[in-house]
Amino acid sequence: MTPSGEPAAPASAADDAALVARMAARDPAALREAIARHAGPLHRIAWRMTGDSHEAEDIVQEAMLRLWNHAPRLAARHPAGSGAASTLRLSGWLKRVVTNLAIDRLRLARRVSGEDVPERADDTPLADVRIEADQGDGSTRALVMALPERQRAAIVLTYYEDLPNGEAAAAMDMNIKAFESLLHRARAGLRQAFAAQGDAR
């Protein structure tokens, strides 16, 4: 937020490269600026994936620590003022880190609890309209939380964060076709869950 209370303008790639250069030079104010700029949206992604605010905070803190540690390498690949600086998207890099950290933690929790929920393909029609209509509904949130980790990430990034498929695929380190297949399975699984929920009422 700006001092007047208005939302801050989105950072440009040049801003991102300059910020990373400052972090690479070990400027703690640059890290604070990155946290102020990105922590809110990252916390939202982590919380929607884990369902736990404290876990989400830990994930965001770990992502920011990784940014601090990787800053010298990022700065070397995207020097401020260079043509390569225009390709740096700090928001996308951080979303990818947070998504992967959340998936790792969910998998660890599942292994500890002994659960095993395999991902499987499903030809059930898509559930887009129902997902979009029920985003604020607690019952829908519970069904999303019951999905396998990567399917849950695909739903969160697409429907709750409104990322285009290309950006969501990049956040999950996937090619677009693989991501769309994963998203199809996630929506199909939700459609089945919605149907089962309706049958149980």
Side-chain angles (χ1 to χ4, degrees):
M1 302 283 279
T2 64
S4 64
E6 295 296 316
S12 69
D15 292 339
D16 284 347
L19 190 62
V20 166
R22 288 169 54 206
M23 280 187 275
R26 293 321 194 215
D27 177 359
L31 179 60
R32 288 193 295 273
E33 189 176 327
I35 291 168
R37 190 182 292 177
H38 297 287
L42 297 176
H43 185 274
R44 193 171 59 234
I45 292 170
W47 178 77
R48 284 178 171 151
M49 286 187 64
T50 64
D52 184 316
S53 183
H54 295 297
E55 188 83 1
E57 286 175 17
D58 288 347
I59 288 169
V60 173
Q61 287 176 5
E62 187 170 345
M64 289 300 176
L65 179 61
R66 288 193 182 188
L67 173 59
W68 180 258
N69 290 336
H70 281 77
R73 275 174 280 175
L74 287 171
R77 285 201 302 267
H78 307 277
S82 72
S86 66
T87 65
L88 180 59
R89 297 290 180 271
L90 205 47
S91 173
W93 189 91
L94 285 165
K95 283 175 183 171
R96 183 167 60 248
V97 171
V98 163
T99 300
N100 288 335
L101 286 171
I103 289 171
D104 289 346
R105 287 186 182 224
L106 290 167
R107 286 181 173 162
L108 178 62
R110 189 180 69 191
R111 281 198 300 272
V112 169
S113 70
E115 294 177 25
D116 188 19
V117 185
E119 286 188 13
R120 57 188 176 81
D122 196 318
D123 294 326
T124 309
L126 305 181
D128 300 41
V129 175
R130 182 69 186 270
I131 297 167
E132 289 171 349
D134 292 348
Q135 281 183 359
D137 182 9
S139 62
T140 300
R141 174 157 177 70
L143 296 179
V144 170
M145 294 298 290
L147 289 172
E149 299 88 358
R150 291 180 64 77
Q151 289 185 17
R152 186 186 315 175
I155 291 293
V156 166
L157 293 171
T158 301
Y159 289 97
Y160 293 92
E161 294 303 311
D162 292 323
L163 293 185
N165 284 1
E167 288 183 32
M172 294 186 68
D173 265 340
M174 300 176 76
N175 67 50
I176 188 74
K177 290 188 78 170
F179 175 80
E180 287 174 348
S181 175
L182 176 68
L183 184 60
H184 174 78
R185 293 196 305 274
R187 290 184 296 203
L190 280 177
R191 184 175 179 83
Q192 285 189 330
F194 286 136
Q197 190 180 61
D199 291 344
R201 288 178 179 169

